[in-house]
Amino acid sequence: MHQQIWNNCLRVIKDNVKNETYQAFFEPIKSISVKHNVLTLEVPTQFFYEYIEEHYVDLLKKTIRKELGADAKLVYSIPVGKNNGTIIPSPTPKPPINNPVPHPDGPIRNPFIVPGLKKLDIPTQLNFEYSFANFVEGECNLLARSAGWSVANNPGDNPFNPLFLYGESGLGKTHLAQAIGIKVKEQMPHKTVLYLNATKFTTQFTDARLKNDINNFLHFYQCIDVLIIDDVQEFVSKQKTQSTFFEIFKDLHQHKKQLILTSDKPPVELQGIIDERLLSRFKWGLITELQKPGYKTRLEILKRRAYRDGIELPDDVLEFVAKNITNNVRELEGALVGLLAQATLNKKAITLELAQSTVAKLIKHTQRNISIEYIVQLVSEYYNIDENCIMSQSRKREIVQVRQIAMFFAKQLTKLSLKSIGTQLGKKDHATVLHAINTVNNLMETDRRFKNQIEELEGKFTF
């Protein structure tokens, strides 16, 4: 009985979380018993318990109460010997180490020609600005960041080995991967951490082959405790490099050394161009995506960067840049640097007008005033529903929902009253508009697909 109850809960949960989240955090959970409306679940480690309680407790409560009634309760069980697992940090992580090892100049030192090289002499190649303290957490990277923190606290001996981070360029993969390495060195200075790009690894491997020094090459990498390889998609078409990395991967994983990999594509899209044996190893741990940051995350990134650089910017400038630079973090920071440069060179105050002229080239859409007509146009195009239907009084279910979405954005993006919005959208009263806004907000909390649609739509508007 308890298993059937949990299976029913899992069906609801699966519809409301990302597939990778479901596989990583809900599939490993086992149902133990149900007694007096109390469902007992076994979670693998303390980390699982704390992550779920922090991020998904409301969803769990709703699903369990749906099955067992309003008085339903949930109890967790952690197997003996596994309650000393890593834990999720507080939202504000500690600052980076005070005296980090300086970033070496020039390319990585060749360990094969440095006499007497000791294990701890291996330079990390980490950029210590890429710390957790400087990484802004948001809906777009929540799972990746949480898993990264877990890895940093217990490298090698955790459910996420390897940790495979993927996403488009400029979304923070390199930052997060290096933040893990920095945290490891902060807490465990005896650990050997090495970060390098896949292209650099290939170059080193080629040099080793030319010098007939493959054994030393393998031995060197087998000494690493935490190996971070950036842009593994660069291994494509390099079969010998892939085969050698496969051997290194096997050895490190077998000895509980941590591997962290980044790519611009998920492993499934590397099928056929990366050695199948290597691909299967990539899937042993956690594969998680970093997505485009939402507006709130973009705004927080700008505020953090401005504070770090000692720049004081008006709120309207920060909001303008955050609303208009939507592609990735790199473009956001580039816009901020450009704005500062313009202000410094031209000896101008940083104003909204200066921001508008500075970032104009980075904005794909032209500026325009937001109107009901413009909102209806974009919403109708997105859902492939005629504009006249949205503006009509039709009560068809699919039209009603799209009209509610238009009302939601009208309230967000215009200064119109609820009464005015309702009048223009189907001649509805202010109570109907308020109900529409609440409906959209509620659906965003419970329906992951719907929330993704709203966020995607938000990115299409020109502010």
Side-chain angles (χ1 to χ4, degrees), residues 227-271:
L227 179 60
I228 306 167
I229 302 288
D230 213 352
D231 295 325
V232 294
Q233 75 275 2
E234 297 297 332
F235 285 153
V236 168
S237 302
K238 300 177 177 67
Q239 295 302 320
K240 291 183 179 179
T241 303
Q242 291 180 33
S243 296
T244 302
F245 183 67
F246 172 76
E247 297 300 326
I248 292 170
F249 186 109
K250 274 199 314 180
D251 186 84
L252 293 179
H253 195 277
Q254 181 180 351
H255 290 90
K256 291 194 173 182
K257 307 293 185 68
Q258 182 68 48
L259 291 116
I260 301 161
L261 312 168
T262 79
S263 171
D264 62 359
K265 299 179 181 67
V268 68
E269 293 184 20
L270 297 173
Q271 203 88 24

Side-chain angles (χ1 to χ4, degrees), residues 131-180:
S131 65
F132 275 109
N134 293 331
F135 187 84
V136 178
E137 179 180 318
E139 184 72 22
C140 57
N141 57 39
L142 184 60
L143 175 59
R145 196 266 184 201
S146 298
W149 185 273
S150 175
V151 167
N153 282 279
N154 197 16
D157 190 16
N158 60 77
F160 314 129
N161 193 17
L163 178 60
F164 191 102
L165 308 171
Y166 76 93
E168 296 177 10
S169 177
L171 297 181
K173 302 185 299 296
T174 298
H175 186 150
L176 180 56
Q178 294 204 41
I180 298 168

Side-chain angles (χ1 to χ4, degrees), residues 108-388:
I108 186 170
R109 287 190 291 165
N110 189 330
F112 316 135
I113 60 174
V114 179
L117 179 71
K118 298 178 181 179
K119 184 180 179 184
L120 292 179
D121 291 335
I122 300 170
T124 66
Q125 300 293 302
L126 295 168
N127 180 343
F128 282 83
E129 288 188 3
Y130 287 158
S131 65
F132 275 109
N134 293 331
F135 187 84
V136 178
E137 179 180 318
E139 184 72 22
C140 57
N141 57 39
L142 184 60
L143 175 59
R145 196 266 184 201
S146 298
W149 185 273
S150 175
V151 167
N153 282 279
N154 197 16
D157 190 16
N158 60 77
F160 314 129
N161 193 17
L163 178 60
F164 191 102
L165 308 171
Y166 76 93
E168 296 177 10
S169 177
L171 297 181
K173 302 185 299 296
T174 298
H175 186 150
L176 180 56
Q178 294 204 41
I180 298 168
I182 292 168
K183 190 67 177 177
V184 172
K185 290 300 290 184
E186 174 189 314
Q187 299 184 132
M188 309 167 205
H190 63 283
K191 294 280 187 184
T192 303
V193 178
L194 178 63
Y195 163 85
L196 76 162
N197 189 279
T199 301
K200 185 64 182 178
F201 180 91
T202 302
T203 301
Q204 287 188 335
F205 168 69
T206 303
D207 290 342
R209 284 182 60 206
L210 292 174
K211 296 173 182 176
N212 197 27
D213 213 4
I214 293 298
N215 287 336
N216 279 330
F217 179 83
L218 290 170
H219 177 70
F220 169 71
Y221 277 97
Q222 288 164 354
C223 290
I224 307 300
D225 296 309
V226 179
L227 179 60
I228 306 167
I229 302 288
D230 213 352
D231 295 325
V232 294
Q233 75 275 2
E234 297 297 332
F235 285 153
V236 168
S237 302
K238 300 177 177 67
Q239 295 302 320
K240 291 183 179 179
T241 303
Q242 291 180 33
S243 296
T244 302
F245 183 67
F246 172 76
E247 297 300 326
I248 292 170
F249 186 109
K250 274 199 314 180
D251 186 84
L252 293 179
H253 195 277
Q254 181 180 351
H255 290 90
K256 291 194 173 182
K257 307 293 185 68
Q258 182 68 48
L259 291 116
I260 301 161
L261 312 168
T262 79
S263 171
D264 62 359
K265 299 179 181 67
V268 68
E269 293 184 20
L270 297 173
Q271 203 88 24
I273 52 179
I274 292 287
D275 190 307
E276 291 299 322
R277 299 175 305 163
L278 195 53
L279 275 182
S280 69
R281 267 61 177 183
F282 288 170
K283 299 173 185 177
W284 277 0
L286 176 67
I287 301 167
T288 182
E289 180 183 12
L290 280 78
Q291 300 177 330
K292 291 182 180 181
Y295 168 69
K296 289 183 179 179
T297 306
R298 297 196 300 270
L299 185 59
E300 182 61 25
I301 289 169
L302 288 172
K303 287 180 177 179
R304 291 262 196 105
R305 180 60 189 263
Y307 178 79
R308 195 173 73 196
D309 292 347
I311 308 169
E312 189 171 343
L313 296 175
D315 288 342
D316 58 351
V317 170
L318 289 170
E319 290 167 3
F320 173 81
V321 176
K323 287 177 179 178
N324 285 280
I325 307 296
T326 61
N327 284 338
N328 58 55
V329 178
R330 195 170 296 145
E331 285 188 7
L332 268 180
E333 295 185 338
L336 198 61
V337 171
L339 185 60
L340 179 62
Q342 287 290 330
T344 303
L345 294 173
N346 299 321
K347 297 181 180 180
K348 293 182 178 179
I350 299 178
T351 62
L352 178 59
E353 291 72 24
L354 181 61
Q356 289 171 337
S357 62
T358 301
V359 304
K361 294 181 181 178
L362 297 175
I363 302 172
K364 294 183 179 179
H365 304 287
T366 56
Q367 288 297 113
R368 71 175 77 184
N369 294 323
I370 296 294
S371 65
I372 288 284
E373 290 76 14
Y374 182 48
I375 291 170
V376 170
Q377 176 191 336
L378 288 187
V379 172
S380 67
E381 289 175 355
Y382 186 84
Y383 288 101
N384 196 26
I385 290 180
D386 188 83
E387 292 181 31
N388 292 328

Side-chain angles (χ1 to χ4, degrees), residues 397-415:
R397 183 176 178 181
E398 65 271 20
I399 294 175
V400 168
Q401 185 173 73
V402 174
R403 186 186 298 124
Q404 288 176 333
I405 293 169
M407 290 176 174
F408 171 82
F409 279 113
K411 177 59 179 173
Q412 274 198 331
L413 307 178
T414 74
K415 296 181 180 180

